[in-house]
Amino acid sequence: MRRHWISVMLVCLLMLGGMDRAGLTAAADGVPPREWNYITRSGDRLMDGEKEFRFISMNGSNLTYMPAPVWHRPDPWEQEDVFRSLQQMGGNVVRLYTFTIKGGTANGDQPSHVTGLRQYNEDYFRDLDHVLKLANEYHIRVIIPFIDTWEHVGGIKQFAGFRGKTAEEFYTDSELKEDYKHLVSYVLNRTNTYTGIKYKDDKAILAWETGNELYPTDAWTEEMSAYIKSMDSNHIVMDGRYGISQASLEDPNVDIVSNHYYESGGADYALRAAADRNLSLGIKAFVIGEFGHSNRTNLTRTADEAIANGTSGALLWTLKSHSKDGGFYNKEGDFRWPGFPSGETYDEKAIMTMIREKAHEIRGLPVPPMPIPDAPQLLPIESVLGITWRGSAGAESYQFERAEHPDGPWAIIGTQVLDSDIPFRPFQDTTAAEGMNYYYRVKGMNGAGISEPSNVVGPITASSIPPVPDQPMWIPFTSVASMTWHPVKWAESYDIERAEAPNGPWTVVGADLAEADQPFKDASASSGIPYYYRITANNTGGASEPSEIFGPITVRNIAQLATLTVDSTNGSNVKEYAVDGNLSTRWLSQGQEENHFIEMEWTVPQKLNYLKIWSGATSGEQWHIRDFSVDYWNGTVWVPVTSVVDNDKDGFYGEYNDMRFETLQTTALRLNITKPSWQGIPVNPNDKIARLMDMETGYNDDTAPMEVNGEAVVEGDGQLTLNWTDPEDDDFAQVVVLGEGTAEAEAVHVGKGVQTVTINGLVNGTEYAYRIRTVDEAGNRSSGVTVLGTPVADRPGNSCPGSEKPDRGKPNDDQTNHGSKPKDKPDKDKPCKDKPGSVLS
């Protein structure tokens, strides 16, 4: 009874505006504002002091990096927008994504948290400092995972690659394990530049998570969780394994086991949540680290199951923030608070409302009224035809007002204006009189009321002619099916042109494209041909200058450019992105028929010599494509290419069929499924016989270029100069020079036409070996030619660094097996002056 009275009082205080942003959540938990405990574990429960700690909230995957529209750091205002949104929905926990690692598919060579072997980017970690500062201010706990299984922002593959090792070695290699510990130590011992608090002493951190969706050995998890605890006795540890391990349930240093729920692993999330909780019951706390990309009923049942079975917490995937430049960051299936019409296809508004209800229910709290939005911020205005603003957390729409004087009177010129359209559309004042000067302001609106007005911007002279767009810029892409560009202010459409040479001639391959048409797919491209592209922005005021030329780009996966048809009980039901690696959509052939096929058709003939097929899932044998064959269309009939019998490849685990064949040219390829059985067992009529997870086909140049010729060594004082003649291959691109024991990343890369390199800082009298390898435009490398050389000191009377030494010429066959490490010889001669160790320059 007393608890109910306190809850009513809290609601009243909220309605009176008597609490600040941190005070509401803190007081609701029975903890004074900004005074809180470390979260601990008692048996299978999380504890906040003497009280159980539970949560339903959201992942904040982009709080420490922004992958789109181009890789960049989040703005502090955008980070705070996430915390404002979480607070309004009652979320008391946010889970970050892993630390970004240079070399991922989204970040490439862009700045990241981890930039090299035990090297960290201070700016990116300052962004995390700001997240933790906000977490303390808003009284919202943070889960921080260290490393990713996947390559999206760099993961174990890129981390291992810093040492020239593979992802398969990550969990067992002693050096890589020490590198991981170095990252852990750096993070735990970091002092926040905003708060002055070491991370390991920051109560805002709920738990350290060993990683995201890892598939580790039990020994690795045991070692790393113990290492974290040895360095930080304040915080609990969450196992980052994908799924629950018996070893982790028994590990005293693991406090939380977790799992992620997506339909690829089973569509009934609530059933899976019940099973996982049963495993952890009475042993460890259980957290649903991610769940999403499903219908509202499934997600609601999952939250209800988590509340009922004692699960400590569940985090929906994932919350996106407003952009500081107007609108939202958005990706279909992700969520924006409080939900908008443009998210209707995945029930965004209803799911956001559900999460708010469950976030309070799991903590035994009533759902308070929604707060009135804070005032939005109007951005500088260049034209009355494009007025942008920074949205306000919780605002559903906006009201625009105009005046002829900065102090009014104000007239409403737009109401129910949205900042959630995809793409974002600035507000246009179409009622402005030509040549008049105006002032503008904006207010946020939701069911609770209307905000205070924004700042005032003006005077702005009205004109019906928009400014000519700026010159657009490409966002770097690697496939002609994934062309994207930076949005250009005032652009109404875009034209994309293609050429086979950087100086043209140019052909328009995409006309009148909208920003929503990204990524653009050049369906008329052909495999194996290098292309160059440029883009122009247009509006009624004119056309921009063409962008910088981007290229050459050669089509690799031509399946991305195909039109697809399928014979199944559902008819032609394949979406175009079913073959480009998007695991949320798969081709499904089902029913009792034994003959099924999928066809890929191209608008222009394609050169092909390989096909890769990923099929299957963890849900059972019936998901595999068992027997299949591949045909191509020769213009008259289908001609067999290859076939596979009793296939046991399971794409979920990374296995796939990789088929190579003689190069052919065709406009269509067909995959036939002719016998849906397994090892002679007849097909079950109820089996869904084929799940195609991913398909890739194209032309691959896998022929290594010829070797250099005429290679020679000129020996100098403390140095060697290597000379050679380039091979005559048409696609020859560069030469790579390596010393024995030199990591590939440290090799010297010499472009085509440059046929010499000097290696300095060598020890006179010591023999060195260097390997000269050729590389073509497709990245194929030759075996290489090894040359030997011995630096010699200047003879008396010679100036330092010495005159040219004799040309050692081409080594004999015996010499080519020597490496570049110094031989065990006395150092008879010394350079003119001290030099560093062997350096390639």
Side-chain angles (χ1 to χ4, degrees):
M1 189 71 178
R2 182 171 181 269
R3 182 177 181 181
H4 174 73
W5 179 82
I6 292 173
S7 299
V8 172
M9 289 298 294
L10 284 173
V11 173
C12 293
L13 286 170
L14 172 64
M15 294 175 68
L16 292 172
M19 290 187 179
D20 64 12
R21 65 189 185 192
L24 171 61
T25 306
D29 281 341
V31 181
R34 298 185 180 85
E35 295 179 13
W36 50 355
N37 308 294
Y38 293 108
I39 298 299
T40 59
R41 176 178 64 90
S42 176
D44 64 353
R45 299 188 302 162
L46 298 182
M47 305 298 295
D48 181 359
E50 298 300 316
K51 180 182 178 182
E52 184 175 6
F53 182 81
R54 301 183 73 192
F55 57 91
I56 287 180
S57 191
M58 299 198 68
N59 284 268
S61 55
N62 294 141
L63 273 167
T64 56
Y65 73 92
M66 290 289 185
V70 63
W71 181 268
H72 66 286
R73 295 166 55 200
D75 185 82
W77 180 88
E78 295 168 343
Q79 292 175 320
E80 186 161 10
D81 185 72
V82 172
F83 281 91
R84 288 181 184 273
S85 300
L86 287 169
Q87 185 187 65
Q88 289 182 14
M89 70 176 67
N92 53 341
V93 172
V94 64
R95 177 176 175 267
L96 309 184
Y97 205 64
T98 57
F99 295 111
T100 61
I101 300 174
K102 186 177 180 179
T105 56
N107 51 341
D109 290 333
Q110 296 298 310
S112 306
H113 291 92
V114 184
T115 60
L117 181 59
R118 302 190 179 191
Q119 297 175 357
Y120 311 110
N121 183 293
E122 176 64 16
D123 287 337
Y124 272 73
F125 274 95
R126 281 179 179 266
D127 295 339
L128 178 55
D129 292 348
H130 190 252
V131 168
L132 294 177
K133 170 182 177 288
L134 292 170
N136 278 281
E137 292 176 358
Y138 282 85
H139 215 77
I140 292 174
R141 310 278 184 166
V142 181
I143 296 173
I144 303 179
F146 283 103
I147 197 165
D148 199 8
T149 288
W150 316 111
E151 297 184 46
H152 176 60
V153 299
I156 60 175
K157 177 180 177 180
Q158 286 69 32
F159 194 82
F162 292 141
R163 285 197 181 273
K165 298 181 180 182
T166 65
E168 288 71 25
E169 298 173 274
F170 177 78
Y171 298 113
T172 56
D173 182 84
S174 58
E175 284 186 317
L176 294 177
K177 288 195 288 185
E178 290 304 311
D179 293 340
Y180 177 88
K181 290 178 181 178
H182 191 276
L183 171 62
V184 169
S185 176
Y186 175 82
V187 173
L188 269 57
N189 287 297
R190 179 177 174 83
T191 299
N192 191 309
T193 56
Y194 289 91
T195 66
I197 302 172
K198 283 187 178 295
Y199 281 21
K200 63 183 180 182
D201 298 326
D202 194 334
K203 295 177 181 177
I205 296 173
L206 189 159
W208 302 112
E209 188 176 7
T210 54
N212 176 65
E213 299 183 354
L214 302 179
Y215 294 89
T217 63
D218 291 336
W220 184 89
T221 301
E222 180 181 0
E223 180 178 351
M224 297 312 165
S225 59
Y227 181 77
I228 294 171
K229 284 291 185 76
S230 71
M231 188 168 295
D232 179 359
S233 60
N234 293 322
H235 293 102
I236 55 180
V237 172
M238 182 168 165
D239 183 8
R241 173 189 298 271
Y242 207 156
I244 299 176
S245 161
Q246 183 62 36
S248 293
L249 291 171
E250 298 171 358
D251 188 339
N253 293 307
V254 171
D255 299 287
I256 303 173
V257 293
S258 70
N259 207 347
H260 296 177
Y261 301 150
Y262 296 102
E263 291 190 1
S264 59
D268 192 334
Y269 296 176
L271 183 66
R272 295 165 64 188
D276 284 338
R277 178 53 178 158
N278 284 336
L279 291 174
S280 70
L281 198 64
I283 307 172
K284 294 290 172 70
F286 171 59
V287 167
I288 301 171
E290 296 177 17
F291 71 111
H293 292 182
S294 189
N295 61 75
R296 174 163 48 107
T297 299
N298 195 20
L299 300 179
T300 304
R301 290 182 62 244
T302 306
D304 287 338
E305 176 63 32
I307 294 171
N309 68 28
T311 292
S312 293
L315 297 163
L316 185 68
W317 183 268
T318 179
L319 182 63
K320 293 298 180 72
S321 73
H322 279 98
S323 167
K324 66 180 179 60
D325 299 319
F328 279 89
Y329 293 99
N330 180 263
K331 176 183 171 186
E332 184 172 352
D334 296 342
F335 295 94
R336 302 156 299 171
W337 175 253
F340 300 96
S342 57
E344 184 178 356
T345 56
Y346 54 98
D347 222 358
E348 182 183 48
K349 185 173 180 61
I351 291 173
M352 286 289 87
T353 300
M354 180 272 292
I355 289 294
R356 186 169 192 256
E357 293 170 353
K358 302 306 177 184
H360 289 86
E361 181 181 343
I362 198 171
R363 296 155 63 194
L365 299 173
V367 181
M370 275 286 290
I372 295 173
D374 290 335
Q377 179 184 349
L378 200 56
L379 297 173
I381 300 173
E382 185 179 352
S383 167
V384 299
L385 299 180
I387 301 174
T388 59
W389 69 102
R390 287 184 177 178
S392 179
E396 296 176 354
S397 62
Y398 298 86
Q399 176 175 292
F400 276 82
E401 299 175 348
R402 183 183 71 199
E404 295 180 14
H405 302 280
D407 54 353
W410 295 93
I412 297 173
I413 57 171
T415 189
Q416 302 297 319
V417 177
L418 300 176
D419 67 346
S420 56
D421 288 330
I422 306 171
F424 169 66
R425 291 186 299 181
F427 174 72
Q428 290 190 342
D429 181 6
T430 56
T431 63
E434 197 84 11
M436 285 287 292
N437 289 331
Y438 294 112
Y439 295 82
Y440 293 89
R441 70 183 190 183
V442 61
K443 298 176 181 178
M445 306 169 65
N446 64 14
I450 188 166
S451 76
E452 292 296 314
S454 71
N455 56 307
V456 175
V457 175
I460 306 299
T461 303
S463 173
S464 60
I465 301 175
V468 174
D470 293 333
Q471 182 183 40
M473 291 177 57
W474 287 111
I475 296 173
F477 55 89
T478 58
S479 167
V480 300
S482 61
M483 293 185 206
T484 53
W485 56 91
H486 294 284
V488 174
K489 195 173 183 181
W490 307 116
E492 296 174 357
S493 65
Y494 300 85
D495 291 339
I496 293 177
E497 297 176 298
R498 184 185 72 201
E500 295 185 20
N503 58 348
W506 296 93
T507 301
V508 175
V509 293
D512 296 323
L513 301 174
E515 288 177 18
D517 293 326
Q518 298 183 77
F520 173 71
K521 180 171 69 175
D522 183 6
S524 64
S526 297
S527 58
I529 299 177
Y531 289 117
Y532 296 85
Y533 291 90
R534 68 184 189 184
I535 183 170
T536 302
N538 313 294
N539 66 17
T540 55
S544 73
E545 291 295 318
S547 69
E548 295 292 330
I549 296 169
F550 192 85
I553 296 293
T554 303
V555 181
R556 299 302 178 195
N557 181 12
I558 208 70
Q560 295 175 321
L561 306 184
T563 299
L564 305 180
T565 60
V566 60
D567 171 28
S568 75
T569 57
N570 293 325
S572 298
N573 62 348
V574 179
K575 294 186 178 181
E576 293 185 4
Y577 55 84
V579 295
D580 72 357
N582 187 323
L583 299 185
S584 66
T585 301
R586 304 170 181 86
W587 173 58
L588 181 65
S589 178
Q590 57 187 346
Q592 300 182 34
E593 298 85 358
E594 290 197 354
N595 297 313
H596 305 259
F597 65 86
I598 182 172
E599 290 181 8
M600 293 182 287
E601 300 179 7
W602 294 277
T603 56
V604 295
Q606 300 296 338
K607 184 165 61 172
L608 309 173
N609 66 1
Y610 79 91
L611 176 67
K612 293 181 181 180
I613 296 174
W614 287 261
S615 65
T618 56
S619 48
E621 289 181 354
Q622 67 269 27
W623 292 108
H624 296 283
I625 298 177
R626 294 305 177 190
D627 295 6
F628 63 88
S629 62
V630 180
D631 302 333
Y632 80 95
W633 182 251
N634 72 355
T636 305
V637 296
W638 290 100
V639 180
V641 176
T642 187
S643 62
V644 175
V645 178
D646 275 348
N647 179 46
D648 192 23
K649 300 295 185 182
D650 189 339
F652 189 85
Y653 292 109
E655 300 178 50
Y656 58 89
N657 295 98
D658 188 355
M659 292 158 281
R660 306 283 165 161
F661 40 85
E662 291 294 321
T663 300
L664 57 89
Q665 192 154 347
T666 185
T667 57
L669 206 65
R670 173 186 283 185
L671 170 64
N672 303 288
I673 305 170
T674 56
K675 190 183 73 172
S677 62
W678 175 237
Q679 295 181 337
I681 302 173
V683 62
N684 183 335
N686 296 321
D687 280 352
K688 297 176 180 179
I689 65 163
R691 175 176 267 186
L692 181 64
M693 299 178 72
D694 197 357
M695 183 184 293
E696 177 181 339
T697 188
Y699 174 74
N700 239 353
D701 174 10
D702 52 9
T703 303
M706 292 185 292
E707 304 287 2
V708 298
N709 52 75
E711 58 274 11
V713 181
V714 177
E715 298 168 335
D717 184 15
Q719 66 179 23
L720 296 173
T721 298
L722 313 184
N723 296 295
W724 62 84
T725 301
D726 289 341
E728 296 180 357
D729 298 58
D730 292 336
D731 62 346
F732 166 69
Q734 61 172 307
V735 159
V736 174
V737 180
L738 300 101
E740 182 181 307
T742 303
E744 191 81 13
E746 299 172 354
V748 174
H749 295 254
V750 182
K752 180 178 181 179
V754 178
Q755 300 171 353
T756 184
V757 66
T758 298
I759 301 100
N760 293 305
L762 306 180
V763 178
N764 289 331
T766 300
E767 187 176 65
Y768 294 86
Y770 291 94
R771 186 153 54 111
I772 306 173
R773 301 180 68 183
T774 56
V775 184
D776 64 19
E777 292 175 352
N780 298 307
R781 300 192 174 207
S782 69
S783 298
V785 174
T786 302
V787 295
L788 303 175
T790 304
V792 294
D794 294 319
R795 290 184 286 274
N798 287 348
S799 61
C800 182
S803 58
E804 186 175 282
K805 302 302 184 289
D807 185 339
R808 288 285 296 271
K810 196 168 185 174
N812 59 38
D813 291 338
D814 293 335
Q815 290 174 318
T816 58
N817 292 323
H818 290 298
S820 66
K821 293 181 179 177
K823 306 295 181 183
D824 294 329
K825 293 182 180 179
D827 188 7
K828 297 178 181 178
D829 304 302
K830 292 189 180 294
C832 298
K833 60 180 180 178
D834 292 335
K835 292 187 173 82
S838 178
V839 177
L840 300 178
S841 62

